[in-house]
Amino acid sequence: ADPQEAAASGELRRSFTPAEAKKLRSAHEKLRKEWQRRKTMLRDKLGEYTEAANKRIPALTEEIGFELDEDVGINSADYGVRCKWPLK
C-alpha cells in the first residue's frame, strides 16, 4: 500500500519514547510561540500601514501581493495561535 494512504488511514503507527515525545512537544511549542510572535508583529505593522494609507487590511494585502494565513484556509487558532485581525 502507498505509505501516504496508510498514514492517512492510521495503519502506520510509530511509538515514541517519553523522551522523544517530550522533545517533540517542546519543539512544537517553541515554533508555535514564534508563529504567534510573528503573527502579532505583522498584525501590528499592518494596522499602522492601513491607518497611514487609509485602507483596509484586505485591500492592502492584495495591493502588496501577499496572503495571510486566513486567506489560504489556515485557521491559526486550531494550532493554538490566537491573533485577532482588524479586518474592518
Side-chain angles (χ1 to χ4, degrees), residues 50-81:
T50 56
E51 189 175 318
N54 198 25
K55 293 185 178 190
R56 294 180 177 189
I57 288 177
L60 184 63
T61 58
E62 176 73 28
E63 183 178 310
I64 294 171
F66 69 88
E67 298 170 322
L68 303 172
D69 294 338
E70 295 77 10
D71 296 336
V72 294
I74 296 173
N75 182 1
S76 55
D78 291 345
Y79 301 94
V81 176

Side-chain angles (χ1 to χ4, degrees), residues 16-33:
F16 295 100
T17 66
E20 288 174 322
K22 183 178 180 181
K23 186 176 178 180
L24 286 170
R25 279 192 292 276
S26 176
H28 176 266
E29 184 61 16
K30 179 180 175 184
L31 293 172
R32 189 199 62 76
K33 284 180 180 180

Side-chain angles (χ1 to χ4, degrees), residues 35-36 38-47 50 57-58 61 66-71 74-77 81-88:
W35 183 10
Q36 174 74 50
R38 290 177 183 213
K39 190 171 179 96
T40 299
M41 269 188 345
L42 176 63
R43 182 201 61 211
D44 294 345
K45 289 299 177 190
L46 279 176
T50 56
I57 288 177
T61 58
F66 69 88
E67 298 170 322
L68 303 172
D69 294 338
E70 295 77 10
D71 296 336
I74 296 173
N75 182 1
S76 55
V81 176
R82 309 237 185 273
C83 189
K84 299 271 186 188
W85 288 99
L87 295 175
K88 299 174 185 171

